[in-house]
Amino acid sequence: MRRADVTDDDQRWLAAAIDQARQGLAEGGVPVGAALVIDGELVAAGRNRRVQLGSAIRHGETDCLERAGRLPASSYARATMYTTLSPCDMCAGAILLYGIPRVVMGENTTFAGAEDLLRARGVEVVNAGSRECENLMAEFIARYPDIWNEDIGT
């Protein structure tokens, strides 16, 4: 069931993030995807690539920001970050650093990140409550607990 505060456009762009998560899983990575949308246009999409690239920081959101390239602050101020999972501290920090005012996440059941920090700093945080996102992560965590624990720093 879709939440009332999730628009058709939100569903569309969250689907782009889910596609990225599925690609990441197919590559042997953690299935977290993200999409950066500005003024109704997809600017970039990314996925967690820590395993694939041997990276310490390439979570879905940070990979998406990297793929967007350098943008002026005025662009970020009109952006929404779509992510399949509640943003961790690092990704929330990047969202705050670039002044992204809105985050739509697929779910926060498998992992509750820094949502309170984002809200406290004025970011609108919308939880789509996506069963698809939840199932994708739950299955990954059950199958690859060591990779998951490494990814979230536990």
Side-chain angles (χ1 to χ4, degrees):
M1 181 169 87
R2 186 169 95 182
R3 294 177 45 132
D5 53 351
V6 177
T7 69
D8 289 340
D9 282 343
D10 289 337
Q11 288 295 115
R12 174 183 176 198
W13 300 123
L14 183 58
I18 293 169
D19 181 61
Q20 287 290 312
R22 291 194 178 287
Q23 286 181 50
L25 181 62
E27 296 167 349
V30 179
V32 177
L36 184 68
V37 175
I38 301 173
D39 298 332
E41 298 291 328
L42 179 65
V43 174
R47 56 189 169 272
N48 186 307
R49 295 176 194 248
R50 289 190 71 244
V51 172
Q52 299 92 310
L53 299 176
S55 171
I57 62 168
R58 285 310 256 297
H59 281 190
E61 299 91 333
T62 56
D63 185 61
C64 181
L65 289 168
E66 177 67 19
R67 295 173 113 202
R70 292 180 62 188
L71 299 173
S74 60
S75 293
Y76 293 115
R78 300 186 320 272
T80 297
M81 176 66 77
Y82 292 87
T83 179
T84 57
L85 187 63
S86 178
C88 72
D89 291 342
M90 177 176 67
C91 295
I95 289 163
L96 293 173
L97 177 68
Y98 291 106
I100 298 170
R102 187 168 185 261
V103 173
V104 176
M105 63 181 165
E107 62 99 2
N108 66 354
T109 302
T110 60
F111 175 77
E115 298 164 42
D116 290 341
L117 171 64
L118 291 169
R119 286 186 186 101
R121 297 283 297 274
V123 176
E124 177 187 0
V125 179
V126 177
N127 182 354
S130 167
R131 290 279 185 233
E132 183 176 5
C133 291
E134 184 179 337
N135 291 340
L136 193 61
M137 277 310 304
E139 290 169 15
F140 179 84
I141 292 167
R143 189 167 181 190
Y144 303 104
D146 292 343
I147 294 173
W148 171 244
N149 289 332
E150 173 192 327
D151 195 69
I152 60 169
T154 60

